[in-house]
Amino acid sequence: MTAQPDTAKSRLARRRGAFRRLPVRFPDSLAARIALTVVLALLLTQAISALVYLTDRSEGPPIHGPNVLIQRVTAIVQLVESTPPQGRERVVRAIDDPVLRVELRPDRPPPLSPGTYAGGRFEGLKRRLSEQLDTADRNILIEIQRPPRKDAPPPPPFMAGDEPRHWGPHVRLSVRLGDGSWLSFTGGEPLPGPFGIVRFVLWMGAIVAVILLVSLLAARRVTAPLAGFAAAAERLSVDGQADPLPEEGPLELRAATRAFNRMQARLARFVADRTQMLAAIGHDLRTPITRLRLRAELVDDPEMQRRMLADLDEMEAMISATLAFARDDAQREPRGRFDLADLLQSLCDDRVDAGHRAVYEGPAHAVAEGRTVALRRALANLMDNAIKYGGGFTVRLETGPDGAHSQAHANALIHIDDDGPGIPEAEFEKVFAPFYRLERSRSRDTGGVGLGLSTARSVIRGHGGDVTLANRSGGGLRATVTLPL
């Protein structure tokens, strides 16, 4: 089957092209890009915090400490006393505002409420105010409204604790003027800002969402080249002939990419050289084998001649298998999409036609990606081993979790079960070694040359999967192949 276009790669290329066309030039170092991302997130946080502060401030009254209050009261009292009696009402109306309510009365003002509290608790404040007014005998009255509960202490004129202290409507300060009239000062009710508590929570939620979105976008832009680097490393483990990774991204990543491409090229040359050397050795061994075969024909002893020819036949079979392995490895079959279920059914049908027991269980279709010819050879080797040592096999394909036939699973599991005697657990890994055989006689009638399982594992691991062996509880051997879909 032909390979379909890599749409994901084309989309990534388009995004990279769009980023290159941006007029903004980002720092070339990865550390500088991370620092820039952090600084931009902090600046955005500060800007939004300042916006909230400026927009959601209460309109009044402002925070008053004792010193500020004493200075304002002193200035107002002195201004009113220096004004002729007929103009004092007009001056008081001009001074009165929502921040500090000012009221002129001809006599002592009535209590704030039946629960008003007044006592010697505020003598220090009175003394400081008298010192500012330069009259020690000035009649000053500070009243504070009692709380609703009788057992609760009266609130102070300035709120205690770490919170800001406000001059509120629950406190009234009255100063007797020289002509017997009284000036009363009370704090106004704070005007609510444009945001209530619910709107404030929503506003803060929106701020967090915006900052999170901007941070994610910035982090994605910084780490996008790392994702491509990781994908290239994963692709190298599956396809040693993959194209080199483009040298893009920050300075550090470009240096790592350059080293990665050099490593990939060296690995490809090493494998190619090893395969070529193996093929050359196998080819050169054919000439002395042919000469030995001619000399064996001249041996007079028939039994000795038969043994010599059998050994030469085995050597030639091993060399032919080695050359076939080297030839197939050097062909570099292109990867493509194919139907794995159809491939397994086809292999089973071929063995049924040859008179062997081969049963397929699994979905009718399962699309995978890989080298079809190489996978067919690897799976055929496993099936032929099951026929040779188990008399037949059952192959089961699973493409979903818990055996469910679903394409949502990342891997496909292929179980090849035979009814043979199985093998010792100590031999599970040894049988995958080249030219290793459990049957020590090396007879071609009882087995091959020992490259079948080695070739199968090499091909399957080249597709990013693996093959393992296990003895079944009911008897027989199970070969499990894992392949990415």
Side-chain angles (χ1 to χ4, degrees):
M1 295 186 180
T2 58
Q4 297 180 355
D6 189 357
T7 57
K9 183 182 294 185
S10 61
R11 287 196 299 268
L12 180 60
R14 288 197 298 270
R15 286 198 297 268
R16 289 172 176 169
F19 279 130
R20 293 193 191 99
R21 290 192 293 270
L22 290 177
V24 181
R25 181 173 179 82
F26 291 92
D28 194 39
S29 171
L30 181 61
R33 293 188 182 187
I34 294 176
L36 178 62
T37 302
V38 174
V39 170
L40 289 178
L42 291 176
L43 290 178
L44 181 62
T45 304
Q46 293 295 328
I48 296 178
S49 300
L51 176 64
V52 173
Y53 171 77
L54 295 174
T55 306
D56 199 33
R57 287 191 308 169
S58 174
E59 297 296 334
I63 297 174
H64 281 303
N67 294 331
V68 176
L69 179 65
I70 290 173
Q71 292 174 4
R72 291 200 63 185
V73 170
T74 300
I76 293 174
V77 170
Q78 292 174 348
L79 176 63
V80 172
E81 283 190 327
S82 64
T83 303
Q86 61 273 16
R88 290 180 178 178
E89 287 285 348
R90 186 170 61 254
V91 171
V92 170
R93 285 195 301 269
I95 295 174
D96 182 42
D97 60 29
V99 174
L100 185 63
R101 310 298 303 185
V102 183
E103 184 180 7
L104 180 63
R105 291 178 175 272
D107 50 9
R108 179 171 176 162
L112 287 174
S113 67
T116 300
Y117 171 85
R121 179 176 179 179
F122 311 112
E123 292 301 325
L125 182 62
K126 293 179 182 180
R127 184 172 59 255
R128 292 176 59 187
L129 188 57
S130 298
E131 292 173 357
Q132 292 290 330
L133 294 173
D134 296 329
T135 52
D137 58 347
R138 175 80 68 173
N139 195 350
I140 300 174
L141 178 65
I142 298 179
E143 301 170 287
I144 183 166
Q145 195 170 7
R146 287 187 180 275
R149 294 188 299 107
K150 294 183 179 180
D151 57 342
F158 302 98
M159 298 175 66
D162 296 330
E163 296 293 330
R165 297 172 289 177
H166 295 271
W167 178 261
H170 61 285
V171 180
R172 183 173 67 186
L173 187 151
S174 301
V175 180
R176 188 175 183 275
L177 303 181
D179 60 354
S181 59
W182 289 75
L183 268 178
S184 298
F185 302 89
T186 57
E189 290 284 355
L191 301 178
F195 295 97
I197 183 63
V198 176
R199 284 178 292 175
F200 179 76
V201 171
L202 295 176
W203 177 253
M204 293 305 297
I207 292 174
V208 172
V210 171
I211 295 176
L212 181 61
L213 179 61
V214 173
S215 301
L216 287 176
L217 291 176
R220 183 177 180 182
R221 166 151 181 89
V222 171
T223 59
L226 294 177
F229 188 82
E234 182 67 24
R235 188 171 61 250
L236 176 62
S237 65
V238 177
D239 185 7
Q241 303 298 327
D243 295 333
L245 185 65
E247 296 182 10
E248 299 176 343
L251 179 64
E252 298 87 346
L253 186 60
R254 293 202 304 271
T257 302
R258 195 175 304 114
F260 178 84
N261 288 338
R262 287 198 298 267
M263 178 192 68
Q264 179 177 344
R266 290 167 184 166
L267 287 175
R269 286 197 300 270
F270 171 76
V271 173
D273 292 345
R274 185 200 63 175
T275 304
Q276 185 176 4
M277 180 183 65
L278 185 63
I281 293 174
H283 184 271
D284 291 343
L285 285 176
R286 286 183 178 275
T287 300
I289 288 177
T290 302
R291 289 200 299 266
L292 288 174
R293 185 180 298 276
L294 292 175
R295 292 172 182 172
E297 296 291 342
L298 301 177
V299 175
D300 296 331
D301 188 349
E303 181 62 22
M304 180 63 68
Q305 185 184 58
R306 183 187 65 79
R307 292 181 180 180
M308 291 179 63
L309 292 176
D311 289 340
L312 291 173
D313 289 341
E314 184 178 358
M315 291 177 61
E316 189 169 6
M318 295 174 65
I319 292 173
S320 299
T322 302
L323 290 176
F325 174 78
R327 182 178 59 253
D328 293 339
D329 186 71
Q331 284 181 352
R332 299 175 186 175
E333 177 191 356
R335 298 174 64 90
R337 306 289 288 179
F338 67 95
D339 192 331
L340 180 60
D342 183 69
L343 175 63
L344 293 174
Q345 294 179 55
S346 173
L347 290 171
C348 290
D349 292 340
D350 292 342
R351 277 137 189 87
V352 170
D353 293 341
H356 303 294
R357 186 183 67 84
V359 179
Y360 171 78
E361 297 177 358
H365 300 283
V367 179
E369 182 178 356
R371 302 179 180 90
T372 311
V373 175
L375 279 176
R376 173 181 285 273
R377 184 178 70 251
L379 295 172
N381 285 343
L382 295 174
M383 293 179 182
D384 291 340
N385 271 354
I387 291 174
K388 186 176 299 182
Y389 300 106
F393 64 88
T394 299
V395 58
R396 186 171 68 256
L397 174 62
E398 298 178 1
T399 57
D402 301 327
H405 303 317
S406 169
Q407 291 292 335
H409 200 271
N411 293 324
L413 295 179
I414 305 172
H415 301 292
I416 302 176
D417 299 338
D418 64 42
D419 299 324
I423 62 176
E425 292 187 7
E427 304 286 342
F428 283 168
E429 286 298 319
K430 294 180 180 179
V431 294
F432 289 104
F435 303 109
Y436 183 86
R437 289 178 53 188
L438 289 175
E439 201 280 313
R440 304 297 183 181
S441 68
R442 294 290 179 182
S443 172
R444 296 182 63 185
D445 298 329
T446 58
V449 298
L451 279 178
L453 290 179
S454 177
T455 302
R457 172 171 274 189
S458 176
V459 170
I460 292 170
R461 285 184 172 178
H463 284 76
D466 201 359
V467 55
T468 58
L469 301 178
N471 289 320
R472 295 195 297 150
S473 58
L477 184 69
R478 166 174 291 179
T480 300
V481 177
T482 305
L483 281 177
L485 290 176

